Amino acid sequence: MSGPLIMGIESSCDETGVGIVRGHELLADEVASSVDEHARYGGVVPEVASRAHLEAMIPTVRRALESADVSLNELDGIAVTAGPGLAGALMVGVGAAKALSAATGVPVYGVNHLSSHIAVDTVENGPLEGSALGLLVSGGHSNIIRVDDLALNSSYVGETLDDAAGEAFDKVARLLGLSYPGGPAIDKAARQGDPSKVAFPRGLTNAKDMRKHRYDFSFSGLKTAVARWVESHQASGQEVPVNDIAASFQEAVCDVLTQKAVMAAQDMDIDTVLLGGGVAANSRLRDLLHDRTEAAGIRLRYPKIRLCTDNGAMVAALGSHLVAAGVPHSHIGFPTSSSLDVDDIIVANAVAA
Ligand code: KG4
Ligand code: ZN
């Protein structure tokens, strides 16, 4: 296979990822995670994440170059997550990418993390044909994104108004006494539970909300409903049926995510839904989305779980699309942007600066 040789660097949250692709071919995917260091806080602590990125960055770059068996000078581009994400964490990756670029003369591309989550699917499932709707669900984001061209054109369709889906999993796991990160723990407990035990609220699905927030999500009301249910049970001296509550909560999240993704695809006449982000590992979400897309005649794509969570290969995959499409690289002085919008696929193109 041929195509541009691109290194991708990811440091927007708690994963230090460095990946290398040649065209659509994945040559290296090295990830160092600081997830264990955040476990006792029940969520990612930005300062801890930044320090961990600093320590892991150079060794992870080295490992990626070794496993791809390429040298820095051979690269056609270095892509790095410019946003959205944690400001201090982003700066570590962007600083590293700029330093490597300055030392080698290889052009640098400051790219969008959300677009990268979508682009990575092409490494496994081949090029996207036509438009697709991305359902991105992780600890930091819950979005429906319309992708008309991976390198040039994508836009928000819907987003969460409060907690991200993974954040809700983590918070509910905590109040059920399950381990961090909460998603895998709830997924496991739910397998032994009854999803119809409690009909927890489906956020933003009543008729009024469907007019104003048709494709948006809200998970904080659900989280509060679970907390109230657990508190009232404990107050009356009853034991909390953890597996049933995990299953009922999970069902409420997956029901809304799949319902709105399929509805958006149908409304927009788009025949492909692409699932990504850490919550894409959820077994119920995969099954339900599979069933509902199939019933609606919509194609469902998702990469393997390892590529759904944050990694450098996804950044490299997007960089490869940008280079192949002839998009100018970023100016070396480009900034990080914690709240970068999805329509900014690349920041500060050199020609535009
Ligand atoms: O994409 P990711 O690794 O990092 C972020 O960008 O946030 O996603 C991590 C999130 C965590 O909130 C974790 O609880 C959730 O993904 N997660 C899951 C599962 N595995 C990971 N949520 C539900 N079910 C799972 N099996
Ligand atoms: Zn992510």
Side-chain angles (χ1 to χ4, degrees), residues 15 138-141 166-167 169-170 181-184 187 277-279 281-282 308-310:
E15 255 89 39
S138 77
H141 24 86
E167 201 179 346
F169 270 94
D170 295 336
D187 199 343
V279 182
N282 186 267
C308 284
T309 56
D310 291 348

Side-chain angles (χ1 to χ4, degrees), residues 12 113 117 138 141 277 310 314:
S12 68
H113 180 80
H117 268 300
S138 77
H141 24 86
D310 291 348
M314 67 191 215

Side-chain angles (χ1 to χ4, degrees), residues 168-178 186 198-202 219-234 240-242 244-253:
F169 270 94
D170 295 336
K171 289 177 177 169
V172 166
R174 201 172 184 194
L175 64 93
L176 290 176
L178 298 171
I186 289 190
V198 185
F200 284 125
R202 271 61 171 160
F219 297 110
S220 76
L222 168 61
K223 177 192 66 194
T224 308
V226 177
R228 294 285 162 275
W229 198 96
V230 169
E231 277 163 21
S232 72
H233 247 66
Q234 283 167 337
V240 176
V242 170
D244 291 341
I245 298 306
S248 300
F249 158 77
Q250 177 174 276
E251 195 62 22
V253 174

Side-chain angles (χ1 to χ4, degrees), residues 148-177:
D148 291 312
D149 183 317
L150 265 176
L152 301 170
N153 192 2
S154 53
S155 54
Y156 281 124
V157 172
E159 61 192 329
T160 180
L161 303 187
D162 38 60
D163 291 347
E167 201 179 346
F169 270 94
D170 295 336
K171 289 177 177 169
V172 166
R174 201 172 184 194
L175 64 93
L176 290 176

